[in-house]
Amino acid sequence: MIAPRFWTRRNPTFAARALAPLGALYGMTTARRMARPGTRVEAPVICVGNYVVGGAGKTPTAIAVARLLQHAGERVAFLSRGYGGQRRAAPTRVDPMLHGALAVGDEPLLLARVAPCWIGPDRVAAARQAIEDGASVLVLDDGLQNPALVKDYALAVIDGEFGFGNGLCFPAGPLRAPPELQAPCVSAEVTVGDPAEGVVWAAAVGAPRFRARLEPDAIVAAELIGRPVLAFAGIARPEKFFATLQAIGAIVAGRRSFPDHHLYDEREIAELAAAAQRRGLALVTTEKDYVRLAVHQRAGVRPLPVTLIFETPDEVAAGLAAALARRRLSARSEP
């Protein structure tokens, strides 16, 4: 889905107010689900989630966290639900050489480039399979609201520009549950980008708050400086991608927005390619959209990869190390 515009309005619109009772019910249901006890598996679980529906930068953050853990000598495995892929009964290890987005979803394909990634509807079964495969620590991409696994450290990622939107729960707003009811499940918060004026972007009182930014690939960015482009994106907030292109100096002469996790058909790609050729534009998309394209659809399409950079990576690494140490010390003291 594409986030409704009224989600961004600081003063709730008529539509938001009309949907607010349903949103309150949804939020309380989610909060009660988050409070359920989970299963503790044999390896520490690091969760990277967010307070709202849609994108806040979870997957780039999960990748950045995994790299910090790998640098510390950990054998990392990702766990993902594989949103947008085919539903599977058993845990599956993602193989980018064999699987496409239609089979496993887009995010697992990006994660599997960095470390083994397991998907499946049963998070506990997927976690145990990853541990059996040799993982010493698990990074859960999304899943803050899923109580299946006990989390040893949970990072809530917040889009600094968007924050909590209009402050209401889905479908009246973007929140999955009231922030104050989600905050007890959060160990630390990561704000991506500079917070916009008037945006509420923190909830976990007393929790560490880290800052981060999304940095476009320097080589691709250099090639796009001053170049007219036709940009398309099927992510939660396509306007963020268009703004990134403008920020690196590309001339966004055309733009097309699609729903998050959109699977492109032949007609859509043919129309985009024809429009770009007719106007002499470079066809550019996000890396997440690019992996959703079939191989033959990728001809002439340039992805713009981004990397999440922590402002204080040593502090993030220290928080992760402390969580792992606590978990392992606790495991040794158990009978």
Side-chain angles (χ1 to χ4, degrees), residues 25-204:
L25 178 61
Y26 179 93
M28 293 305 297
T29 301
T30 300
R32 283 196 293 269
R33 183 173 68 248
M34 292 176 71
R36 294 175 188 166
T39 299
R40 187 177 292 282
V41 292
E42 294 75 14
V45 174
I46 309 298
C47 175
V48 179
N50 64 346
Y51 293 111
V52 301
V53 175
K58 294 186 300 294
T59 299
T61 304
I63 290 172
V65 165
R67 287 179 170 146
L68 288 175
L69 292 167
Q70 288 171 332
H71 183 72
E74 299 290 343
R75 300 182 305 279
V76 178
F78 291 110
L79 302 179
S80 173
R81 62 176 175 167
Y83 186 88
Q86 297 169 346
R87 186 168 180 82
R88 297 168 180 268
T92 300
R93 179 171 171 173
V94 176
D95 185 344
M97 299 300 293
L98 297 177
H99 297 130
L102 183 61
V104 298
D106 48 18
E107 290 151 353
L109 291 172
L110 299 176
L111 297 171
R113 297 175 181 178
V114 178
C117 179
W118 291 83
I119 64 170
D122 187 334
R123 298 287 180 100
V124 176
R128 288 174 172 159
Q129 191 65 59
I131 294 167
E132 185 178 327
D133 196 48
S136 66
V137 61
L138 306 174
V139 175
L140 181 60
D141 181 31
D142 208 353
L144 179 62
Q145 292 78 21
N146 188 317
L149 289 168
V150 172
K151 303 167 184 69
D152 297 287
Y153 195 72
L155 287 165
V157 184
I158 302 169
D159 182 328
E161 181 182 355
F162 183 70
F164 300 153
N166 62 9
L168 299 176
C169 292
F170 181 85
L175 285 165
R176 303 190 192 202
E180 65 274 13
L181 299 184
Q182 299 189 65
C185 300
V186 172
S187 309
E189 295 177 338
V190 178
T191 302
V192 181
D194 295 327
E197 184 177 354
V199 168
V200 178
W201 55 273

Side-chain angles (χ1 to χ4, degrees), residues 271-326:
E271 289 178 352
L272 287 166
Q277 183 176 27
R278 185 170 60 252
R279 300 173 61 187
L281 307 177
L283 195 55
V284 184
T285 193
T286 72
E287 193 173 29
K288 187 175 169 183
D289 284 278
Y290 189 76
V291 299
R292 291 201 301 272
L293 300 178
V295 173
H296 69 276
Q297 294 176 327
R298 296 175 182 175
V301 180
R302 171 60 60 90
L304 177 63
V306 294
T307 301
L308 184 125
I309 307 295
F310 288 114
E311 287 189 3
T312 55
D314 290 346
E315 292 181 10
V316 180
L320 294 168
L324 299 189
R326 286 193 300 270

